[in-house]
Amino acid sequence: MTLLKLALKNLLGAGLRTWLNVFVLSLSFVLIIFSQGLLEGMNKQAEEAMIAVEVGGGHFQHPVFDRYDPLTLADAHGPVPAPLAALAAAGRAAPVLVIQGTIYPEGRLFTVQIKGIDAGQRVLDIPTSFLAADQPGDEIPVLIGERMAKLTGLGAGDTFTVRWRDARGTFDARDAAVVQVMKTSVQTVDSGQIWVSLDRLREMTGMPGEATFVVLAQDAAPPAAADTLDGWAFRGPDYFLADLKAMVESKSAGSSILYAIFLALAMLAIFDTQVLAIFHRRREMGTLMALGFTRTKLIGLFTLEGALNGVLAGLFGALYGIPLLSWMARTGWALPGDTDSYGFAIGERLFPSYSLVLVAGTTLLVLLTTTVVSFLPTRRIAKLKPTDALRGRMT
């Protein structure tokens, strides 16, 4: 306790030098937590959006379907297996039929995927209820996303011609009307595709009761009897989030460089302070040793003084860091408009996420590093002779 009181007295007695070190170290605390929280927030926000809008509790896919190969779509459809049909009837799953098609808005040509989904489904957070609206004449009600609307120049109420190939390979075409333009951060349910009612698409293509994949509700358990699923393969949420997690890991590796820079700047300040303190306080060290301080206690005193810089920095950083980071977590960080084309499912604002593990881990790491850096220069004290120290010399 005496050593702690003496270390704290010496630290506060240093005045401006101490508080400059504390301020620099506190900035490292806050900036490290902010940068890591930004990545955690991006990951969490993108995962939640993808699960709510596209992934759900996972997909059961037709054996031929490959989401990365559009050439498989011609054959990637078949009757929905009985266990999955039962889940869909109970509102625990949503069958989706996907075919290739072409749309002609104002005489222009765009190749699209036509996706059919039940208008009354509640599995995915997509406003499919608009697909149940009646249209004048024989127009097909169509739901598109904002990106698709921007690309094609279509808006709610606009009509266009859509062409597709049915189950027998025959081309057919009809007029369609945009009943709603949905806003979503998930590009994979927006870009290059249009949504129609599942019953209508089955009728248009001559594929009654068929689907390309079935999306399970987030809390629905996959059927255990694989032999009754006719080869339909289950893909869990981890399968769809693998690319996102790989991207976040690559960003984390890049941010570790910034992390190391912040930490190195703070540690350099502590190291320089300790070196100068040992050089300028030689007579003080000699006096303490003459009064009975052992070299071990003297090393402990200087190491403790350096470590207390980290403690004070943590307290000082909390004074302005907690309100600042809390405000950022509530209001988010507005992203430039062009970032939408990069494929991040995070919307217009990025909300940082600060977990207890992140805050506690960063605090412990900085305190441990501060203690180690404070100890390194004090090793010279082990060779110090009291008589030389009293004369102001270092051996």
Side-chain angles (χ1 to χ4, degrees):
M1 184 60 69
T2 302
L3 201 64
L4 177 61
K5 289 181 180 178
L6 183 58
L8 187 58
K9 180 180 178 181
N10 291 338
L11 195 64
L12 297 178
L16 182 60
R17 183 180 63 191
T18 294
W19 293 113
L20 284 175
N21 286 333
V22 167
F23 176 69
V24 171
L25 198 54
S26 69
L27 278 179
S28 297
F29 266 107
V30 175
L31 290 176
I32 289 172
I33 292 174
F34 172 72
S35 62
Q36 296 300 110
L38 211 58
L39 284 174
E40 283 196 12
M42 180 178 70
N43 184 32
K44 180 179 178 181
Q45 194 171 335
E47 282 190 5
E48 290 178 350
M50 290 182 65
I51 289 174
V53 176
E54 180 190 16
V55 178
H59 293 189
F60 274 96
Q61 299 179 346
H62 187 273
V64 180
F65 178 63
D66 184 350
R67 64 196 299 255
Y68 298 108
D69 185 4
L71 297 179
T72 63
L73 287 178
D75 301 315
H77 58 85
V80 178
L84 299 180
L87 285 175
R92 310 293 293 164
V96 178
L97 178 62
V98 186
I99 65 171
Q100 286 280 75
T102 308
I103 63 173
Y104 301 88
E106 299 180 353
R108 294 168 295 155
L109 181 150
F110 294 93
T111 300
V112 298
Q113 288 186 0
I114 306 174
K115 292 187 174 181
I117 189 170
D118 183 17
Q121 64 85 29
R122 294 292 184 270
V123 175
L124 298 179
D125 189 16
I126 298 177
T128 54
S129 58
F130 290 97
L131 298 176
D134 294 329
Q135 295 297 308
D138 199 27
E139 294 176 348
I140 303 171
V142 168
L143 174 70
I144 64 175
E146 284 188 332
R147 298 174 186 82
M148 191 63 184
K150 183 178 180 180
L151 175 66
T152 59
L154 294 170
D158 292 342
T159 60
F160 58 91
T161 300
V162 56
R163 189 185 69 163
W164 69 93
R165 181 177 288 181
D166 62 20
R168 295 180 297 275
T170 304
F171 283 102
D172 199 354
R174 282 169 56 184
D175 288 335
V178 179
V179 293
Q180 181 69 16
V181 176
M182 64 177 172
K183 182 179 179 65
T184 176
S185 61
V186 183
Q187 292 195 28
T188 47
V189 298
D190 181 344
S191 299
Q193 53 198 276
I194 62 176
W195 293 82
V196 301
S197 170
L198 178 61
D199 292 338
R200 186 180 292 268
L201 185 59
R202 284 171 169 173
E203 178 187 353
M204 291 162 47
T205 57
M207 303 177 186
E210 297 190 5
T212 302
F213 59 87
V214 178
V215 186
L216 298 185
Q218 295 184 35
D219 55 350
D227 56 338
T228 63
L229 298 178
D230 301 326
W232 285 55
F234 178 70
R235 306 293 186 187
D238 290 341
Y239 171 80
F240 297 95
L241 299 175
D243 292 340
L244 173 65
K245 292 180 178 178
M247 181 198 68
V248 171
E249 287 179 1
S250 66
K251 295 295 181 183
S252 298
S255 69
S256 63
I257 299 176
L258 190 63
Y259 193 119
I261 291 174
F262 290 147
L263 197 58
L265 288 175
M267 296 308 106
L268 182 62
I270 298 298
F271 185 83
D272 287 347
T273 300
Q274 288 294 85
V275 171
L276 289 173
I278 292 172
F279 180 78
H280 287 292
R281 294 165 62 184
R282 290 165 293 180
R283 287 187 174 86
E284 177 188 340
M285 288 187 288
T287 302
L288 290 173
M289 294 175 73
L291 292 174
F293 257 64
T294 63
R295 288 181 174 83
T296 302
K297 282 189 176 181
L298 199 56
I299 291 174
L301 174 64
F302 278 81
T303 303
L304 185 57
E305 288 181 15
L308 285 175
N309 277 291
V311 176
L312 291 177
L315 296 175
F316 183 67
L319 291 178
Y320 68 88
I322 291 177
L324 177 62
L325 298 182
S326 298
W327 175 76
M328 282 295 299
R330 291 194 306 271
T331 61
W333 181 21
L335 297 175
D338 292 340
T339 56
D340 184 66
S341 61
Y342 295 162
F344 300 115
I346 51 180
E348 298 175 350
R349 304 188 75 85
L350 176 58
F351 294 89
S353 176
Y354 312 108
S355 64
L356 180 61
V357 174
L358 171 63
V359 176
T362 302
T363 302
L364 290 176
L365 176 62
V366 174
L367 290 178
L368 179 61
T369 308
T370 302
T371 304
V372 173
V373 171
S374 301
F375 168 75
L376 294 177
T378 64
R379 292 178 298 175
R380 293 194 63 184
I381 300 176
K383 302 178 182 179
L384 183 63
K385 296 179 180 180
T387 51
D388 290 334
L390 288 171
R391 293 189 183 99
R393 297 177 182 174
M394 294 290 290
T395 55

